[in-house]
């Protein structure tokens, strides 16, 4: 039996025809490959289901963490659920498709580079990656509105039943820490979150004011507090590998067609998460 690969991708944004074609052609290298999807598959439930069911039928195992786009309630979508109910609806859809979500027991990858526990996370953001020099969310948001760099989440990502997106985030942080505290400390983790767990990756954003929609300071030490092999994230649409405190971070996004066209290459199918020699002493 061929050894599988653990690969990751995010930000498939399948509402775009070109990205849809990319997903249609996206196949595992062999039948034992696992695929991590770090959010932003699409916005409409039917689009998300189309992509996830296709990929679940091809990969031995798919693991999904939600992005902000899955949590939007777009006007034209027949599914008008908002906030946490929308998230739970998507979790149930994933379960029907055999896909693991942040609400399920974490799986252990025993293939090359393993064993590692794969933890898909959903911790959202709380506007704490503020514009430098300001002290409150309100001031930071006001500066974003002044310059017109405002995330569509403000209109479409409803926090119901939480009073605000940041309160939803804080509840998720608490719940997620409880889950991570309970993990076996002898098995390294692959932490999968739509947003970077640390702020540093947002420093290269074209519009730095956008950082406030990109994570929370509350996760800044998770990659050291928990034994982390790799931290996988997306959302920034800036695919690259960086290291913080010696821990590898992989931004694995496909991004919008104009973005991957600008990079000048056909998008690579998915990023290898583990390299066997890295983890074996
Ligand atoms: Fe995205
Ligand atoms: Fe995103």
């Amino acid at each position: 039996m061929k050894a599988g690969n653990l690969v990751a991708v995010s930000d498939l944004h399948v509402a775009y025809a070109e990205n849809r074609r990319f997903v249609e052609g996206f196949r595992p290298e062999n039948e034992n490959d696992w695929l991590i999807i770090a959010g932003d598959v699409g916005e409409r439930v039917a689009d998300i289901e189309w992509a996830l069911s296709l990929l679940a039928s091809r990969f031995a195992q798919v693991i999904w963490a939600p992005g902000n786009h899955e949590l939007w309630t777009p006007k034209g979508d027949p599914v008008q659920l908002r906030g946490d109910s929308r998230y739970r609806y998507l979790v149930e859809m994933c379960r029907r498709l055999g896909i693991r979500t942040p609400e399920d027991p974490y799986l252990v990858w025993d293939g090359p580079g393993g064993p590692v526990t794969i933890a898909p996370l959903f911790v959202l953001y709380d506007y704490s990656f503020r514009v430098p020099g300001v002290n409150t969310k309100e001031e930071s948001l006001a500066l974003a509105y002044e310059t017109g760099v405002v995330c569509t989440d403000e209109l479409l990502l409803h926090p119901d039943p939480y009073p605000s997106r940041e309160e939803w985030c804080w509840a998720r942080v608490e719940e997620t820490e409880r889950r991570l505290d309970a993990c076996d400390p002898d098995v390294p983790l692959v932490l999968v979150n739509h947003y970077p767990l640390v702020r540093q990756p947002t420093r290269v954003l074209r519009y730095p004011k956008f950082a406030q929609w990109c994570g929370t300071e509350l996760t800044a030490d998770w990659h050291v507090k928990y034994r982390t092999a790799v931290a996988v994230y997306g959302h920034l649409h800036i695919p690259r590998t960086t290291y913080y405190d010696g821990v590898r971070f992989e931004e694995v996004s496909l991004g919008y067609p104009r973005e991957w066209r600008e990079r000048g290459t056909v998008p690579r199918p998915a990023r290898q998460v583990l390299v066997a020699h890295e983890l074996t002493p």
Side-chain angles (χ1 to χ4, degrees):
M1 199 167 81
K2 259 191 160 171
N5 303 290
L6 180 60
V7 297
V9 75
S10 74
D11 300 81
L12 293 170
H13 291 290
V14 300
Y16 292 86
E18 283 163 280
N19 283 19
R20 220 175 158 88
R21 279 198 292 279
F22 167 82
V23 172
E24 280 163 356
F26 182 17
R27 289 173 190 283
E29 219 177 272
N30 78 63
E31 69 280 5
N32 297 314
D33 288 4
W34 285 20
L35 175 67
I36 292 167
I37 304 176
D40 277 7
V41 172
E43 296 82 23
R44 296 166 59 97
V45 166
D47 281 350
I48 300 166
E49 185 160 14
W50 169 81
L52 288 182
S53 57
L54 182 67
L55 295 170
S57 73
R58 291 175 174 176
F59 284 82
Q61 180 67 55
V62 172
I63 294 149
W64 167 83
N68 50 318
H69 281 242
E70 281 100 335
L71 300 173
W72 286 2
T73 307
K75 288 211 170 49
D77 195 338
V79 181
Q80 282 296 301
L81 293 167
R82 293 158 64 111
D84 191 59
S85 324
R86 191 171 191 90
Y87 171 57
R88 304 284 161 185
Y89 182 90
L90 293 170
V91 165
E92 284 312 317
M93 183 183 88
C94 284
R95 287 177 173 161
R96 276 200 312 278
L97 298 170
I99 295 172
R100 290 291 174 124
T101 76
E103 305 312 307
D104 299 309
Y106 299 150
L107 288 171
V108 173
W109 164 260
D110 265 322
V116 286
T117 300
I118 304 172
L121 314 178
F122 168 40
V123 289
L124 211 59
Y125 55 83
D126 64 357
Y127 304 85
S128 52
F129 292 177
R130 280 193 272 280
V131 177
V134 308
N135 295 315
T136 65
K137 171 198 168 186
E138 288 67 30
E139 288 174 274
S140 193
L141 260 183
L143 283 171
Y145 274 98
E146 256 171 45
T147 46
V149 181
V150 176
C151 183
T152 310
D153 289 3
E154 294 299 312
L155 298 172
L156 296 180
L157 200 165
H158 308 292
D160 319 25
Y162 297 90
S164 64
R165 281 172 288 278
E166 56 270 38
E167 275 157 284
W168 192 6
C169 167
W170 297 331
R172 292 299 315 183
V173 165
E174 217 179 289
E175 162 72 6
T176 307
E177 274 185 319
R178 199 182 51 76
R179 292 281 310 273
L180 293 174
D181 285 342
C183 286
D184 179 352
D186 291 334
V187 182
L189 286 153
V190 174
L191 296 177
V192 181
N193 190 37
H194 186 56
Y195 306 98
L197 296 172
V198 296
R199 183 173 183 165
Q200 291 93 318
T202 67
R203 309 241 186 251
V204 297
L205 283 170
R206 187 178 298 181
Y207 302 106
K209 290 188 181 68
F210 192 78
Q212 53 197 311
W213 291 280
C214 295
T216 166
E217 296 287 359
L218 295 173
T219 60
D221 66 346
W222 284 14
H223 63 295
V224 282
K225 182 166 133 187
Y226 302 108
R227 190 176 161 199
T228 305
V230 187
V232 174
Y233 69 102
H235 186 62
L236 304 186
H237 296 196
I238 306 172
R240 62 183 185 143
T241 305
T242 50
Y243 291 82
Y244 305 104
D245 306 298
V247 176
R248 181 156 55 93
F249 278 63
E250 295 284 356
E251 209 281 11
V252 296
S253 60
L254 172 66
Y256 300 127
R258 67 178 146 77
E259 294 170 321
W260 55 257
R261 267 197 309 263
E262 249 171 49
R263 293 197 286 269
T265 49
V266 241
R268 57 180 153 181
R271 188 79 64 96
Q272 194 89 19
V273 173
L274 294 174
V275 182
H277 69 262
E278 272 194 338
L279 293 168
T280 13

